[in-house]
Amino acid sequence: MNSETGKTALITGASSGIGQELAKLFAQDGYNLVLVGRSEEKLDRLADVFKSNYGTENVTVINKNLAEEDAAQDVYNQVKAKNITVNVLVNDAGVGLYGLFATDTDWEREKSMIHLNVLTLTQMTKLFLYDMLARDEGKILNLASLLSITPTPLMAVYAGTKAYVYNFTQSLVNELKDTNVSITALLPNATDTDFFNKAGAENTKVTDELQDPVMVAKDGYDALMARKSKVVPGGLKNKSYEVLSYVAPQETLAAVMRGKMSQKPDEEEPTISLAWGIGIGIAVIAGIALTIGYKNTSDFQKARYRYKARSAGNSLSDTLSSVVDKVVETVVDAYQNTKEKAGKLAVKGEEVEEELAA
């Protein structure tokens, strides 16, 4: 890592999960820290750990409920009053809520979630970005999600807030392209934090495939430092899900995500037929090929592709969720096995060339 002694990173949601792992990476890299969250006790303990383990010179703790009205303005005012220059802003704080939108979820909690995930993030970005542009220096990391690019039944409002975060961030990427200020969207898959417990989704199928927050934070941190516009942590499998979200019909994606977000069954589900698996495998591979071609075609053709994709919906069911997972894993394994075999063949080729030369 690079030494950034003297610079300051402000991190919301730093008391646990991805935010805490990101704060640790900044501390290791020599940054001073501003840690914002509701648990002052946890943040104070974290500050002590950073000072003792990494020699962090200055750690400022701001105890704030970011779901409150004008919470971002209050945080900004406190930072300015302490004469702190924020070189990196990390908008990590966020919450989710699980259940059917019409009948299961509570409006007050949803309103609070929208305020935290959308309004506070936007206001924080606006306030600190203005100062960064005045200096022509700075970086921002916004926590989106893989759910930001796919419809997600049973977490409809949460997915909607993350779709806003992703779209908002990518719009600013373009606005900032001629400056020395960068903004990055982090799109993790389901991650092993307390998120699902707080959202009331602790018994959903997706919790069987949780990712390591250390890995997610590291990929996000590296992308931020490299000034990338976005990053999908987790390697080829998660990138395959990203590709699928761009080429599959929305109705299909909604069915897949409904399956992932449903409650775990008491008994084993019936095995999916091989024919279904092969069919979706072809769809995934075709989707990857289509994505490559899509980038190199005209705007008119792109519009036709999008129309056809939308028109192709309603043909698949909830069973697609487990099939897609299995096929993506198969494609990834096949790719890695092929890569290994190619490496072995290359070594053998070199050995033959050496024998002929002798």
Side-chain angles (χ1 to χ4, degrees), residues 179-314:
T179 74
N180 288 318
V181 179
S182 65
I183 188 165
T184 303
L186 174 57
L187 285 74
N189 203 338
T191 306
D192 190 11
T193 67
D194 201 32
F195 171 85
F196 288 97
N197 291 328
K198 291 179 178 177
E202 64 274 8
N203 194 44
T204 52
K205 293 178 183 177
V206 73
T207 58
D208 287 336
E209 52 184 76
L210 297 178
Q211 311 249 297
D212 183 359
V214 175
M215 176 275 293
V216 171
K218 182 64 167 61
D219 283 1
Y221 187 85
D222 289 345
L224 174 71
M225 293 303 156
R227 298 180 179 272
K228 293 181 180 179
S229 62
K230 67 174 180 178
V231 59
V232 177
L236 184 59
K237 180 178 179 180
N238 285 344
K239 289 178 176 59
S240 298
Y241 286 133
E242 181 191 13
V243 170
L244 191 64
S245 74
Y246 295 145
V247 299
Q250 293 293 292
E251 295 87 348
T252 301
L253 292 173
V256 169
M257 295 310 299
R258 179 64 180 265
K260 286 182 175 292
M261 297 311 303
S262 61
Q263 295 288 310
K264 296 176 185 178
D266 293 332
E267 299 179 358
E268 293 263 344
E269 291 183 324
T271 303
I272 305 299
S273 69
L274 179 62
W276 274 98
I278 293 173
I280 299 302
I282 293 172
V284 172
I285 296 170
I288 294 172
L290 179 59
T291 300
I292 295 171
Y294 183 86
K295 292 181 178 179
N296 298 313
T297 192
S298 66
D299 290 340
F300 174 74
Q301 290 295 333
K302 288 179 181 178
R304 289 184 61 196
Y305 290 151
R306 289 194 294 268
Y307 173 77
K308 289 180 180 179
R310 285 194 297 269
S311 301
N314 301 320

Side-chain angles (χ1 to χ4, degrees), residues 34-311:
V34 178
L35 307 178
V36 184
R38 297 181 64 175
S39 177
E40 186 172 11
E41 183 180 350
K42 285 184 180 179
L43 294 178
D44 284 337
R45 287 202 304 268
L46 201 58
D48 291 337
V49 169
F50 291 156
K51 289 176 180 178
S52 61
N53 289 1
Y54 309 120
T56 308
E57 293 184 2
N58 297 305
V59 182
T60 301
V61 170
I62 297 179
N63 181 24
K64 190 68 182 177
N65 179 3
L66 293 175
E68 294 177 347
E69 188 71 23
D70 285 329
Q73 184 69 60
D74 183 56
V75 170
Y76 178 78
N77 291 343
Q78 290 190 52
V79 168
K80 296 296 284 186
K82 297 176 186 297
N83 293 318
I84 297 172
T85 297
V86 173
N87 304 98
V88 181
L89 170 66
V90 177
N91 285 310
D92 172 79
V95 294
L97 186 61
Y98 178 81
L100 293 169
F101 172 72
T103 56
D104 294 348
T105 55
D106 175 70
W107 168 242
E108 290 303 319
R109 289 188 64 185
E110 284 170 332
K111 183 169 67 173
S112 177
M113 176 172 61
I114 293 169
H115 202 297
L116 174 60
N117 294 4
V118 175
L119 294 179
T120 295
L121 178 143
T122 305
Q123 191 177 19
M124 290 281 284
T125 302
K126 191 173 189 69
L127 291 168
F128 287 101
L129 179 57
Y130 184 88
D131 292 344
M132 290 178 181
L133 285 174
R135 301 190 309 269
D136 196 28
E137 175 271 336
K139 299 182 183 75
I140 299 174
L141 180 66
N142 284 339
L143 190 71
S145 168
L146 268 182
L147 300 190
S148 65
I149 53 177
T150 182
T152 308
L154 301 177
M155 293 195 81
V157 177
Y158 172 77
T161 65
K162 291 303 179 178
Y164 168 85
V165 172
Y166 178 67
N167 193 297
F168 170 65
T169 302
Q170 296 310 302
S171 298
L172 293 187
V173 167
N174 178 268
E175 291 186 14
L176 299 172
K177 64 184 178 68
D178 296 323
T179 74
N180 288 318
V181 179
S182 65
I183 188 165
T184 303
L186 174 57
L187 285 74
N189 203 338
T191 306
D192 190 11
T193 67
D194 201 32
F195 171 85
F196 288 97
N197 291 328
K198 291 179 178 177
E202 64 274 8
N203 194 44
T204 52
K205 293 178 183 177
V206 73
T207 58
D208 287 336
E209 52 184 76
L210 297 178
Q211 311 249 297
D212 183 359
V214 175
M215 176 275 293
V216 171
K218 182 64 167 61
D219 283 1
Y221 187 85
D222 289 345
L224 174 71
M225 293 303 156
R227 298 180 179 272
K228 293 181 180 179
S229 62
K230 67 174 180 178
V231 59
V232 177
L236 184 59
K237 180 178 179 180
N238 285 344
K239 289 178 176 59
S240 298
Y241 286 133
E242 181 191 13
V243 170
L244 191 64
S245 74
Y246 295 145
V247 299
Q250 293 293 292
E251 295 87 348
T252 301
L253 292 173
V256 169
M257 295 310 299
R258 179 64 180 265
K260 286 182 175 292
M261 297 311 303
S262 61
Q263 295 288 310
K264 296 176 185 178
D266 293 332
E267 299 179 358
E268 293 263 344
E269 291 183 324
T271 303
I272 305 299
S273 69
L274 179 62
W276 274 98
I278 293 173
I280 299 302
I282 293 172
V284 172
I285 296 170
I288 294 172
L290 179 59
T291 300
I292 295 171
Y294 183 86
K295 292 181 178 179
N296 298 313
T297 192
S298 66
D299 290 340
F300 174 74
Q301 290 295 333
K302 288 179 181 178
R304 289 184 61 196
Y305 290 151
R306 289 194 294 268
Y307 173 77
K308 289 180 180 179
R310 285 194 297 269
S311 301

